Amino acid sequence: TGAISSLQRQMEIQESKLRSIRSEKEMLQKQLREQEVQLQAMSDQFFSLTEEQKQEEMMVMLEEENRSLQQVVMEQESQLAEQNKLISELQETISQLQAEVVTTRLNLLEQKAAQKEIQSQAEALQHKELQTRVALERISTKFERYRNKIIQATFSMEGIQDPLGELTDKEVLEAMQKIFTERTEFQQMLKHKGSR
């Protein structure tokens, strides 16, 4: 019984780590959207300028910011790939632990001699579980703060209707994508106008 409980706790810890990694992955995706909001703000500033020299300077700034964003996107996509790899590894570990639970049930009578050692391991796992839970709560709080900032920045822009209720991640992403698309079209229009 002690061995089974220990393995189940190990499974819970691994599953907790898996949820934590997925939360970090979503946070990185939200950060990408936050960069897009910043670019949209730059576009709005550019739209309000009337002097030709300032428009040219703002165009240069927009192009530099766009290159910077592309670099950030590449870096964060690399991080997401690493997170996906880690998720796969954790899922494999959880499957292995589930198999060990089944084996432990069959060999329960032979494990009585090792009960004290298993109890010690269980205590260590409980300590690790507590640490993991604390870390997960901290990450969840940070993620929610980022998400609220993104929603506030997105729906405070002119022309964006206020949300009617609780927003899903998909709805936030669609609003961000709309802003990014409009900014890109506006930038292309300005380039075309400048070439003429």
Side-chain angles (χ1 to χ4, degrees), residues 108-128:
L108 182 60
L109 295 177
E110 299 176 4
Q111 299 298 321
K112 289 183 178 180
Q115 185 174 1
K116 289 183 179 181
E117 178 64 21
I118 292 173
Q119 181 62 33
S120 176
Q121 293 177 2
E123 291 174 357
L125 287 171
Q126 286 176 344
H127 180 67
K128 290 181 180 179

Side-chain angles (χ1 to χ4, degrees), residues 22-37:
R22 284 174 174 162
S23 295
E24 291 177 358
K25 176 182 176 181
E26 292 177 1
M27 181 181 68
L28 288 173
Q29 292 171 334
K30 300 302 180 298
Q31 290 174 347
L32 286 176
R33 299 186 192 112
E34 190 172 10
Q35 291 291 330
E36 293 172 352
V37 169

Side-chain angles (χ1 to χ4, degrees), residues 106-167:
L106 298 176
N107 298 325
L108 182 60
L109 295 177
E110 299 176 4
Q111 299 298 321
K112 289 183 178 180
Q115 185 174 1
K116 289 183 179 181
E117 178 64 21
I118 292 173
Q119 181 62 33
S120 176
Q121 293 177 2
E123 291 174 357
L125 287 171
Q126 286 176 344
H127 180 67
K128 290 181 180 179
E129 178 183 15
L130 178 61
Q131 292 177 329
T132 302
R133 288 183 186 276
V134 171
L136 178 60
E137 289 177 2
R138 184 166 56 249
I139 291 171
S140 297
T141 300
K142 186 176 180 181
F143 165 72
E144 189 61 28
R145 187 164 60 248
Y146 278 128
R147 186 178 188 275
N148 289 337
K149 286 182 179 180
I150 290 172
I151 292 173
Q152 182 180 4
T154 301
F155 290 93
S156 65
M157 300 187 68
E158 184 177 353
I160 301 297
Q161 294 182 350
D162 291 336
L164 299 179
E166 184 71 18
L167 289 170

Side-chain angles (χ1 to χ4, degrees), residues 4-141:
I4 292 170
S5 298
S6 176
L7 288 170
Q8 287 175 337
R9 278 192 292 271
Q10 289 184 50
M11 286 172 55
E12 291 173 359
I13 291 172
Q14 294 296 333
E15 289 170 346
S16 177
K17 289 180 180 179
L18 180 59
R19 289 192 297 270
S20 176
I21 293 299
R22 284 174 174 162
S23 295
E24 291 177 358
K25 176 182 176 181
E26 292 177 1
M27 181 181 68
L28 288 173
Q29 292 171 334
K30 300 302 180 298
Q31 290 174 347
L32 286 176
R33 299 186 192 112
E34 190 172 10
Q35 291 291 330
E36 293 172 352
V37 169
Q38 293 175 1
L39 285 179
Q40 180 61 34
M42 295 286 290
S43 294
D44 292 341
Q45 292 177 11
F46 175 78
F47 186 77
S48 65
L49 295 176
T50 57
E51 297 178 19
E52 182 177 356
Q53 183 179 3
K54 290 184 178 180
Q55 288 180 351
E56 292 175 354
E57 291 175 356
M58 186 60 72
M59 176 62 75
V60 172
M61 290 175 63
L62 282 172
E63 291 175 349
E64 291 176 354
E65 186 68 21
N66 192 42
R67 287 193 296 270
S68 176
L69 176 61
Q70 290 174 348
Q71 179 64 29
V72 170
V73 168
M74 291 176 60
E75 292 173 357
Q76 294 188 344
E77 284 177 346
S78 176
Q79 292 180 23
L80 288 176
E82 293 177 1
Q83 296 291 350
N84 286 332
K85 180 181 178 182
L86 183 55
I87 287 172
S88 297
E89 293 173 354
L90 288 173
Q91 288 174 333
E92 182 179 351
T93 301
I94 289 171
S95 297
Q96 292 174 352
L97 289 171
Q98 289 172 337
E100 289 179 19
V101 169
V102 174
T103 302
T104 303
R105 290 182 188 276
L106 298 176
N107 298 325
L108 182 60
L109 295 177
E110 299 176 4
Q111 299 298 321
K112 289 183 178 180
Q115 185 174 1
K116 289 183 179 181
E117 178 64 21
I118 292 173
Q119 181 62 33
S120 176
Q121 293 177 2
E123 291 174 357
L125 287 171
Q126 286 176 344
H127 180 67
K128 290 181 180 179
E129 178 183 15
L130 178 61
Q131 292 177 329
T132 302
R133 288 183 186 276
V134 171
L136 178 60
E137 289 177 2
R138 184 166 56 249
I139 291 171
S140 297
T141 300

Side-chain angles (χ1 to χ4, degrees), residues 180-191:
F180 184 72
T181 300
E182 291 174 352
R183 189 204 71 83
T184 302
E185 291 174 353
F186 179 68
Q187 186 176 3
Q188 292 298 324
M189 179 190 71
L190 290 174
K191 287 183 177 179

